[in-house]
Amino acid sequence: MQLVVARIGRAHGIKGEVTVEVRTDEPELRLAPGAVLATDPAGTGPLTIASGRVHSGRLLLRFEGVGDRTAAEALRNTLLIAEVDPEELPEGEDEYYDHQLIDLDVVTEDGTEVGRITEISHLPTQDLFIVERPDGTEVMIPFVEEIVTGIDLEEQRAVIAPPPGLIDDRAEIASSRDGAEDDAEDGSEDRAGDDAEGAPGDES
């Protein structure tokens, strides 16, 4: 099975290094020196990682045969693809590969359907589930223990305990709008009362 493990960003320096957007939970394994990766577009690869290092929180890679900034910049936006055994499991407990999570049904703890995971976004601070709702819209759910309370691969579902506003933002907006209308009505009544009380004083 082929999985996208990174996307090449801009060139760094003049010796052929590039920044990469990591899309795997195991960069130390998938993006280690010596790893040979297929690419998209295919004509750019395969690429063999010559070295890697972290600089200012970003992973920098250098590939064999890419020795200057011009060659590195030509790789920009290329996807790096690793061959992964579909039966292989991560070493850590409660860790998952992206292909295990894609297409899982997402439900709340009370069984309410939220949608289906269509993509995993790997950010520097956390991972996000990109979930497609039944109506076709998308919602992003942080893949953290406090929110994602269970992953059941046999049942093909992810159970979440979403904080207020994460998946019911439209309901909250409607509620806020109703509250504003109520406040406006209350304000109108108050002003009407003030005018009625002021009327006798004007006559005197």
Side-chain angles (χ1 to χ4, degrees), residues 19-99:
T19 62
V20 294
E21 173 191 321
V22 177
R23 297 188 179 180
T24 172
D25 288 333
E26 299 178 312
E28 69 284 351
L29 174 64
R30 306 298 176 195
L31 301 173
V36 180
L37 302 169
T39 60
D40 182 7
T44 305
L47 293 173
T48 301
I49 298 177
S51 64
R53 65 188 179 97
V54 176
H55 175 74
S56 298
R58 298 293 301 274
L59 179 61
L60 303 179
L61 296 180
R62 187 173 60 81
F63 301 99
E64 293 183 5
V66 180
D68 57 39
R69 186 179 183 87
T70 300
E73 190 63 33
L75 298 175
R76 192 166 187 170
N77 292 323
T78 296
L79 297 178
L80 299 177
I81 303 169
E83 189 70 36
V84 178
D85 183 343
E87 300 300 321
E88 181 181 343
L89 297 176
E91 295 181 357
E93 186 177 356
D94 294 331
E95 292 184 356
Y96 305 91
Y97 289 135
D98 287 6
H99 70 269

Side-chain angles (χ1 to χ4, degrees), residues 102-145:
I102 297 296
D103 286 334
L104 292 189
D105 293 325
V106 179
V107 299
T108 61
E109 291 182 324
D110 64 5
T112 302
E113 179 185 6
V114 178
R116 179 179 61 88
I117 299 174
T118 58
E119 182 182 346
I120 312 295
S121 178
H122 298 283
L123 302 180
T125 55
Q126 65 184 10
D127 295 336
L128 293 174
F129 288 164
I130 309 302
V131 177
E132 181 179 327
R133 299 184 179 192
D135 64 3
T137 61
E138 290 185 338
V139 60
M140 293 183 291
I141 298 176
F143 188 16
V144 295
E145 185 177 355

